[in-house]
Amino acid sequence: MKLVATALLAASVSALATASHAENLSIQTSFNAGDFSTQYLTENWLPKIEKMTDGRVTITLTPNGSVVPSRETPEAVAAGVLDGDFTSVNYFAGLEPAYAIMGDLISGYDTPEQMIGFCKDGGGEAMMQKAADAVTGGEVKVVACGPYSREALPARVPIRTFEDLQGKKIRSPEGLAAAVFEAAGASPVSIPFSEVFGALEKGIVDAADASAYVNNDATGLHDVAPYPLYPGIHSMPSMQFTINKAKWDALSEADQKALRDWWYKAMYAMAAEVNKKDKELAERDAAGGKIEVIDWAQEDRDKLREVARKQWEAYAEKSDLAKEALDVNIKYMTEIGLFKN
């Protein structure tokens, strides 16, 4: 009995020691507190990292802007104000043009899984690290990157083919997205996201770069834009997962691997869940008769990608890193068949 008691006591002491030395990482996201993404990760995936590291690492996700504005997270992570971030890298295009290429290669990849694969296995992580080093002096470790959804395109008039883009007024953020729409014959209009519903309702724009189908449905956009293009033809914003370099170096190799594995598993799972919800809603709407869900033929998607490529190349001239980022993307896209050799 004494041996058993001694063993139990030792185990208890060991567990307490592990708990007292657990590393809790405060990670700011670019998700809002009530977003599906925040809830999904908090409920389904934050508990898993604790299990994967035997309690040595935990993560607390804080919502968009809770500590610093999203565009300032690289500097905040470098300075140790944040332990890390989980942020759409489009916010950083003003710091380094390569982030625009890495953040959303407009009309590039067909699925989130393709782009996650680029980050995980096709050189995307290394390229994102080069961008981070350029703006933080090497004080930030890029653990992983990739998107979790492809945005749909709500439209108040039918846009059934590539040619139907001609003359259409499309709400679009400035930059690469606007350049691609304009090159395809549309007229990009820059208006705040908060004004998208009213602009569609009043006919100020014919379509709008907004969000994933599930989010557009939740905000009622299909009530005024009953011709959504789904799956989307344009935007697929990529996220990054970074940790302060000193914090990262203090972790064991096993825990570093666990964090990277955890993030990619979570993103693949979240992409599948968002796709499932989007698909269910699109099928419901198509069956209801009031909404025409438009799915472009691959031929039309390929036409837009070729037009977009010229705009990527023009944007890539903004910096050497942007050019390198585009080359890495093109190489991977060719390998998986999105471009011909």
Side-chain angles (χ1 to χ4, degrees):
M1 290 295 291
K2 286 185 177 180
L3 287 173
V4 173
T6 301
L8 288 173
L9 178 60
S12 298
V13 170
S14 176
L16 287 171
T18 298
S20 65
H21 289 91
E23 182 70 58
N24 179 258
L25 300 173
S26 178
I27 307 294
Q28 181 175 300
T29 77
S30 54
F31 305 134
N32 294 315
D35 285 354
F36 163 80
S37 311
T38 304
Q39 295 175 356
Y40 180 79
L41 290 169
T42 300
E43 294 171 7
N44 297 284
W45 284 93
L46 291 191
K48 293 183 188 297
I49 190 59
E50 189 170 2
K51 286 185 178 180
M52 291 172 69
T53 61
D54 293 326
R56 292 184 299 275
V57 180
T58 60
I59 289 177
T60 300
L61 287 181
T62 63
N64 186 19
S66 55
V67 180
V68 297
S70 288
R71 67 181 180 277
E72 296 177 11
T73 55
E75 295 96 328
V77 175
V81 175
L82 295 170
D83 293 328
D85 81 330
F86 190 159
T87 305
S88 171
V89 301
N90 287 315
Y91 285 106
F92 315 141
L95 301 174
E96 163 54 55
Y99 277 120
I101 300 293
M102 295 298 294
D104 196 349
L105 202 61
I106 302 296
S107 304
Y109 295 91
D110 282 333
T111 68
E113 288 78 8
Q114 289 173 343
M115 197 170 174
I116 295 173
F118 162 66
C119 273
K120 183 172 180 288
D121 304 311
E125 268 180 33
M127 192 64 240
M128 203 77 86
Q129 184 67 62
K130 287 185 178 183
D133 289 346
V135 301
T136 68
E139 296 300 320
V140 169
K141 168 64 180 177
V142 175
V143 181
C145 57
Y148 69 94
S149 72
R150 181 168 194 127
E151 294 183 352
L153 188 76
R156 67 190 306 273
V157 297
I159 304 175
R160 299 191 178 94
T161 66
F162 171 79
E163 286 73 22
D164 287 344
L165 285 172
Q166 292 292 321
K168 298 299 188 297
K169 295 173 293 183
I170 301 180
R171 181 268 173 184
S172 170
E174 296 178 356
L176 194 52
V180 170
F181 280 128
E182 186 172 16
S187 298
V189 180
S190 178
I191 58 174
F193 184 82
S194 60
E195 297 176 16
V196 167
F197 185 96
L200 284 166
E201 184 179 36
K202 297 171 184 175
I204 296 171
V205 295
D206 299 307
D209 182 326
S211 187
Y213 198 101
V214 63
N215 294 330
N216 295 340
D217 173 82
T219 54
L221 288 185
H222 299 146
D223 294 337
V224 294
Y227 299 96
L229 275 64
Y230 170 81
I233 60 169
H234 63 306
S235 182
M236 197 186 306
S238 185
M239 313 292 291
Q240 71 170 14
F241 176 37
T242 72
I243 293 178
N244 172 273
K245 186 65 164 52
K247 288 273 187 180
W248 176 259
D249 289 342
L251 298 173
S252 69
E253 288 187 14
D255 288 344
Q256 290 174 352
K257 182 179 184 303
L259 277 167
R260 182 176 183 269
D261 290 346
W262 167 80
W263 197 86
Y264 279 118
K265 288 178 181 178
M267 289 301 278
Y268 275 118
M270 188 156 67
E273 185 66 17
V274 171
N275 180 61
K276 176 175 174 287
K277 289 183 176 295
D278 282 354
K279 187 176 180 181
E280 288 172 352
L281 289 170
E283 289 176 350
R284 179 204 68 186
D285 291 343
K290 293 182 179 181
I291 295 173
E292 179 185 338
V293 180
I294 297 172
D295 181 3
W296 269 19
Q298 190 60 50
E299 178 183 0
D300 292 299
R301 294 177 183 274
D302 291 343
K303 287 180 182 178
L304 184 58
R305 183 178 290 117
E306 288 295 342
V307 167
R309 182 173 180 173
K310 295 179 181 178
Q311 301 309 310
W312 307 338
E313 291 169 349
Y315 196 94
E317 296 299 320
K318 292 179 179 290
S319 78
D320 290 341
L321 272 183
K323 178 66 167 61
E324 186 178 352
L326 181 58
D327 289 345
V328 173
N329 271 283
I330 294 294
K331 180 177 182 293
Y332 185 77
M333 294 169 81
T334 302
E335 289 174 358
I336 64 174
L338 293 177
F339 286 118
K340 296 180 180 178
N341 287 310

